[in-house]
Amino acid sequence: MINNEFLIDNGDNIITTTESTNAKKENAIIKINTTYISQDDEDVSELITKGIYRQKGSLTQIIYQDSETTGFYDCETKITARNDKFVSILRRGENIGSDLMVQCDKKLYSQYTTPVGSILIGVKASLIENSFDVDGGRLHMKYTIDMNGSFVSDNEIDVTVELL
């Protein structure tokens, strides 16, 4: 079982898991570059969108609406990062839900829900670099995904946030 308690903070600066983007004003430009490499395919995408950025102490949260560019059309995505140690990417949409948990040098298991069912994947990061502060910043991650112990893909995500 994955412990998500750090996602909820009763302070004014962190959005809880029950809030949505509509509850807070967009205050940032979010740029996300993603590289996905499987055994026979490589896909690179870029998304630039407005969203919500919150930072308090060692905890950073970014919330935005995904698009067809990322393959998660009409999903709300919440990225929560704690230092260089842990990142969660939660996506919620009509028929899609994913809870991707990433930690350096430790394999974590995450659930993906699709219109045809749910799958459990293993995720292990080789790199998490978090330079977020109250003025925005950058998150860079490299991680590998497997399913039932078999390699699925190597992934690299670079998230840059500039405040409006």
Side-chain angles (χ1 to χ4, degrees):
M1 181 115 196
I2 298 169
N3 181 354
N4 287 332
E5 68 186 38
F6 77 90
L7 296 176
I8 299 173
D9 182 313
N10 293 327
D12 293 336
N13 293 328
I14 299 298
I15 298 170
T16 67
T17 56
T18 57
E19 287 182 284
S20 70
T21 21
N22 296 334
K24 301 287 181 179
K25 186 178 178 189
E26 292 174 335
N27 64 347
I29 299 293
I30 302 161
K31 180 178 176 183
I32 302 170
N33 290 299
T34 305
T35 303
Y36 164 93
I37 303 169
S38 67
Q39 288 181 342
D40 26 73
D41 191 25
E42 181 173 335
D43 185 40
V44 177
S45 66
E46 180 178 70
L47 172 68
I48 300 174
T49 188
K50 286 184 180 179
I52 298 169
Y53 176 78
R54 299 294 171 110
Q55 203 277 333
K56 183 176 183 182
S58 65
L59 196 62
T60 300
Q61 191 168 64
I62 302 161
I63 301 176
Y64 61 92
Q65 291 296 316
D66 251 308
S67 74
E68 290 178 33
T69 302
T70 60
F72 293 97
Y73 176 72
D74 205 25
C75 283
E76 180 178 86
T77 299
K78 295 180 184 182
I79 299 173
T80 304
R82 177 176 271 169
N83 294 329
D84 289 334
K85 301 194 185 307
F86 184 84
V87 176
S88 74
I89 302 174
L90 307 177
R91 286 191 169 100
R92 296 293 181 266
E94 188 173 323
N95 294 313
I96 296 174
S98 70
D99 299 344
L100 184 70
M101 307 296 171
V102 182
Q103 184 173 338
C104 264
D105 299 321
K106 183 175 182 180
K107 187 179 199 178
L108 300 178
Y109 293 90
S110 296
Q111 189 77 28
Y112 267 65
T113 303
T114 69
V116 294
S118 293
I119 57 173
L120 186 65
I121 61 170
V123 181
K124 185 174 181 183
S126 60
L127 175 73
I128 299 175
E129 295 175 337
N130 177 349
S131 64
F132 286 127
D133 60 25
V134 294
D135 297 317
R138 179 176 177 250
L139 172 68
H140 184 78
M141 298 188 310
K142 292 182 181 183
Y143 59 93
T144 299
I145 294 178
D146 71 59
M147 187 170 27
N148 297 328
S150 296
F151 173 81
V152 174
S153 64
D154 283 322
N155 303 273
E156 190 168 350
I157 296 177
D158 193 63
V159 180
T160 305
V161 175
E162 293 180 22
L163 297 182
L164 296 174

